[in-house]
Amino acid sequence: MGIKTAAIKPQINRFFERITNMIIDRERVKNTFAEYTSGYNTTDPKIKLKIDHTYRVAELCELIARDLKLDEYETDVAWLTGMLHDVGRFEQIKRYNTFNDAQSVDHANFGADLLFKEGLIDTYVDGFHDDKYGTIVENAIRNHSAFRIDERLDEYTVMFCNILRDADKVDIFRVNVDTPAEDIYNVTTEELRNSQVSPEVMAAFDERHAVLRSCKKTVVDHVAGHIALTFELVYPISLQIAKERGYLDKMMAFESDNEVTGKQFEEIRAKLNEYVASVRPL
């Protein structure tokens, strides 16, 4: 009897943990998000871009969570991180008229503070301040745009961070494909097509990692930097989505009027294609 009881105790604990979790009402979350963003200038293309981006990232978070075989509540939590991850962007654009964190505020921490320090989370989900999954959501938001995830976080929390980070990157690829680069980077076509990729950015492709913001010196560095995010995707499903939807090929098809840059993008294409084929075979 004792052996059987010991065997099922973890399952009992998990059951009671599940039924005491805060309910995540998706319709309430979406309605609250719509109401919150209606307070900003939704005719501003930058605001609309982030609203649309939010819904797509939430969907991608759910898709990745289901591929990982997470349970329904965990999948809801992953979806919620997507819905809330860019809350800080709207106030950022209102106050600073830029999405450039270096020129304004770190939007990830800013958003997490609005939610969990100023109480905005209570309009989305009741009681999340005292729930362990609330802490997970907060950490996922704070870490979603960081170069590296906080090493102090436990493995379970890191999983949710990685789900959100992957989903965010995949939709960043989509934004780069669907939106004119001139609008994304607020530059002229001439500037974009004549700048060169900096040596530090090219080195990231040799070393197979993302590009630090401080290394981006030219306009086209940002284009190459977004492509390099591919190296940071954690889950095979994320790379599969990016590849199957054509995001990677379209991003690497960047055309330049600068002969040096043209050759640089030939290198970028070769190195990324090699990485996708050999390191993350599909």
Side-chain angles (χ1 to χ4, degrees), residues 39-56:
Y40 297 88
N41 181 13
T42 54
T43 63
D44 183 336
K46 293 186 179 68
I47 295 295
K48 185 178 186 307
L49 181 134
K50 286 302 175 183
I51 291 173
D52 294 343
H53 168 72
T54 292
Y55 288 113
R56 292 195 301 261

Side-chain angles (χ1 to χ4, degrees), residues 16-264:
F16 281 106
E17 179 183 277
R18 277 285 174 266
I19 64 175
T20 57
N21 282 333
M22 301 300 105
I23 295 173
I24 298 174
D25 182 336
R26 292 198 183 199
E27 285 306 308
R28 172 183 169 181
V29 171
K30 288 189 284 188
N31 290 337
T32 302
F33 178 75
E35 182 179 353
Y36 179 76
T37 55
S38 70
Y40 297 88
N41 181 13
T42 54
T43 63
D44 183 336
K46 293 186 179 68
I47 295 295
K48 185 178 186 307
L49 181 134
K50 286 302 175 183
I51 291 173
D52 294 343
H53 168 72
T54 292
Y55 288 113
R56 292 195 301 261
V57 170
E59 291 173 1
L60 287 164
C61 283
E62 178 173 3
L63 195 158
I64 296 167
R66 294 199 182 284
D67 188 73
L68 293 173
K69 304 293 189 277
L70 301 190
D71 68 28
E72 286 302 314
Y73 188 79
E74 291 169 324
T75 300
D76 281 345
V77 171
W79 176 85
L80 183 65
T81 67
M83 285 299 302
L84 300 181
H85 82 285
D86 263 356
V87 161
R89 284 297 197 191
F90 302 99
E91 193 64 19
Q92 181 188 42
I93 196 68
K94 179 180 179 179
R95 296 187 190 183
Y96 304 99
N97 195 34
T98 182
F99 287 143
N100 188 321
D101 286 9
Q103 296 175 4
S104 54
V105 292
D106 182 313
H107 78 279
N109 282 320
F110 187 42
D113 286 347
L114 288 173
L115 288 161
F116 291 93
K117 289 187 177 181
E118 298 186 24
L120 186 61
I121 188 65
D122 294 330
T123 64
Y124 290 92
V125 185
D126 292 326
F128 236 41
H129 274 110
D130 301 320
D131 185 76
K132 80 169 188 177
Y133 284 95
T135 301
I136 286 173
V137 170
E138 178 179 0
N139 279 310
I141 293 170
R142 289 194 186 280
N143 284 273
H144 83 266
S145 63
F147 188 68
R148 291 288 177 262
I149 295 173
D150 188 341
E151 294 180 352
R152 296 170 295 179
L153 297 179
D154 63 272
E155 185 177 348
Y156 190 60
T157 300
V158 168
M159 178 186 68
F160 285 95
C161 292
N162 280 327
I163 290 171
L164 175 57
R165 284 163 68 89
D166 269 22
D168 192 36
K169 289 176 176 64
V170 171
D171 200 65
I172 286 173
F173 296 158
R174 173 175 175 154
V175 169
N176 274 263
V177 167
D178 292 348
T179 308
E182 292 86 346
D183 294 343
I184 297 174
Y185 307 117
N186 195 28
V187 296
T188 66
T189 300
E190 183 179 5
E191 289 174 315
L192 184 66
R193 294 176 68 96
N194 284 280
S195 64
Q196 295 182 15
V197 183
S198 299
E200 297 89 345
V201 176
M202 290 301 297
F205 286 88
D206 289 326
E207 299 162 7
R208 293 178 170 177
H209 61 68
V211 180
L212 280 167
R213 292 191 186 102
S214 59
C215 293
K216 298 174 184 177
K217 305 292 195 304
T218 71
V219 174
V220 79
D221 279 349
H222 295 281
V223 178
H226 280 144
I227 295 172
L229 292 176
T230 307
F231 296 126
E232 305 295 328
L233 295 176
V234 173
Y235 300 112
I237 186 64
S238 306
L239 185 59
Q240 181 179 331
I241 293 168
K243 186 176 180 181
E244 290 181 350
R245 295 183 182 179
Y247 300 156
L248 301 184
D249 288 339
K250 290 176 181 177
M251 289 172 65
M252 290 188 293
F254 175 80
E255 295 181 358
S256 176
D257 294 331
N258 187 303
E259 184 177 350
V260 173
T261 308
K263 292 179 179 178
Q264 288 176 321

